[in-house]
Amino acid sequence: MTFDRFFSSAALVMRESAIRRMGALGARIPDLISFAPGYPDPVLFPWDTLRVAAADLLSGADPAALQYGATRGYRPLIEALGTLLEARGIRSTFEERIVTSGSQQGLDLVARLLIDPGDVILVELPTYTGAISAFNNVRASLVGVPQEADGIDIDALDRTFERLRAEGRRVRFLYLVPNFQNPTGLLIGLDRRRRLLEWADRQDVVIVEDDPYGDLYFPDSAGPADTRPLKADDTSGRVIYLSSSSKTLAPGLRTAWVVAPEAVVQKLDLVKQAADICTGGLDQRLVHRAVTAGVLVTEGDRLRAHYQRKRTVMERALAREIGDLVTWPAPRGGFFLWVTLPAGLDADAVLTRALQASVSFVTGTAFFVDGSGQDTLRLSFSQPADDRIDEGIARLGRAIREEIDAQLAGGRSSADSGTSVPRG
Ligand SMILES: Cc1ncc(COP(=O)(O)O)c(C=O)c1O
């Protein structure tokens, strides 16, 4: 029996994330070097702290550790988050915070709470694929706004907003990843952050600020002041702020948080009740133990130095192998390098060749809501070891040169070969 006729209209248009699809594809390729997923480096997970905490929590002394918990989250964790957020400039009450099962769930809950089918969500061009999926799942209409070197183009944003308003469309919110954006690695400048808040106040728009990378600035080019969240200066309460323990502790703990006005958090609580009742109690307790043991403070410098070094390894390899062919904005933090190929070269065709050479990445189109970005790709330097980064970029360089040669020879580009390549 075919099930299609039973699916909702939203289910019929759901697409697998290009990043997840790359993971499945990569599992079948021997000796694959993957620059595709934005995974943290597991050597940085706080194994010792978590091992001790887990043994204690699983001793059975506190039955609540494995029991259902409050939907809003584990109270001591919500309290500890207050201090963590304050260090980033965000003052919030207990009632303004809620724990979610990853920021991905936060995005999903916010989407369910704010979006009616057909509502417009403004996003950066390009933007995070997980947000695109969450907003698409509730039938939002995503409209992209270009970015400049230090963030979203506010003039273009205003023009787009005015055009949509003139067309009678309802803009629900603006979604931003201001710190070391996934996928571009870009950082919104401080002045631009101020002007964005002014713009949002003037046009009465909600901002959804997604900030998993803010603590991961590279000391050689940025500092904590550069990553001050918009939420820290949100005097009117129009910013819904999301952050996560995934990139700084461990993503397997699926523990993140949303800070928003109390009325919004109350509604998020209701949406979350239907989604998963509560985030895993053991996960939350482990994150709480790690946070209160000061892991984020004691390990922060090590994390930043580690990812900064990997960024340098990848930039040097790119410069050495294909510096004459590709360009990228220098990341000042985060996990990603955003590469633009020579004009006319298609990233899908390069990916086909790259996979044959056992190296993978995510093609840029996955991150664009307007179908553009064919000549771009995202490389993640966070997980592979240094020597694998070197080797992987050498393989990628050969794949790019082969594709250029094939095009110059007038031969078939690998894009015409019929090989199945993931498309976002
Ligand atoms: C911008 C952005 N938002 C949200 C997420 C989801 O993170 P989490 O593991 O907290 O669900 C990611 C993960 O890569 C991300 O890059």
Side-chain angles (χ1 to χ4, degrees), residues 174-419:
L174 166 66
Y175 169 72
L176 294 172
V177 186
N179 292 323
F180 319 121
Q181 195 223 24
N182 180 358
T184 60
L186 292 179
L187 178 66
I188 299 185
L190 290 181
D191 186 53
R192 202 171 287 245
R193 289 174 196 236
R194 186 185 50 72
R195 289 194 292 129
L196 274 167
L197 284 171
E198 280 171 13
W199 176 83
D201 275 340
R202 181 158 42 84
Q203 297 289 23
D204 195 22
V205 174
V206 167
I207 294 179
V208 174
E209 178 179 26
D210 188 6
D211 184 23
Y213 302 103
D215 284 323
L216 297 178
Y217 52 86
F218 299 149
D220 68 1
S221 48
D226 295 309
T227 65
R228 183 175 169 85
L230 275 78
K231 182 71 186 163
D233 300 304
D234 170 29
T235 47
S236 45
R238 65 177 60 254
V239 177
I240 297 177
Y241 177 82
L242 295 88
S243 192
S244 170
S245 66
S246 285
K247 313 298 178 177
T248 48
L249 289 176
L253 297 175
R254 308 308 301 134
T255 301
W257 43 92
V258 178
V259 184
E262 196 177 328
V264 176
V265 168
Q266 274 166 9
K267 288 279 189 195
L268 284 172
D269 190 322
L270 299 181
V271 190
K272 186 171 160 65
Q273 284 173 23
D276 66 354
I277 303 178
C278 63
T279 295
L282 188 60
D283 284 359
Q284 293 187 70
R285 282 170 175 79
L286 287 169
V287 169
H288 172 249
R289 294 281 179 106
V291 168
T292 49
V295 167
L296 293 176
V297 178
T298 56
E299 293 297 291
D301 288 344
R302 192 161 81 96
L303 259 62
R304 289 183 275 274
H306 187 84
Y307 291 121
Q308 174 177 293
R309 198 199 65 249
K310 287 194 159 188
R311 182 258 353 237
T312 305
V313 171
M314 185 174 271
E315 283 201 305
R316 287 199 179 134
L318 279 171
R320 187 170 61 236
E321 302 290 341
I322 35 176
D324 54 331
L325 296 175
V326 303
T327 57
W328 65 90
R332 298 166 64 196
F335 286 1
F336 307 110
L337 238 151
W338 180 245
V339 171
T340 301
L341 294 167
L345 205 64
D346 182 34
D348 269 343
V350 172
L351 181 59
T352 302
R353 286 187 194 278
L355 289 173
Q356 284 158 5
S358 293
V359 60
S360 69
F361 55 82
V362 185
T363 52
T365 47
F367 305 94
F368 283 87
V369 295
D370 66 351
S372 65
Q374 274 78 6
D375 58 351
T376 57
L377 53 97
R378 188 194 78 176
L379 299 175
S380 171
F381 49 78
S382 49
Q383 195 188 20
D386 294 8
D387 59 334
R388 298 293 278 172
I389 294 178
D390 275 331
E391 171 59 22
I393 297 297
R395 292 179 191 177
L396 176 64
R398 286 194 292 277
I400 291 178
R401 288 187 196 282
E402 278 170 22
E403 182 58 23
I404 293 174
D405 289 348
Q407 286 196 7
L408 286 177
R412 279 156 63 90
S413 146
S414 68
D416 313 322
S417 69
T419 314

Side-chain angles (χ1 to χ4, degrees), residues 72-90:
R72 184 74 62 93
Y74 174 52
R75 182 170 257 280
L77 174 62
I78 304 178
E79 282 164 2
L81 288 174
T83 316
L84 211 67
L85 288 156
E86 220 166 301
R88 310 265 346 262
I90 298 174

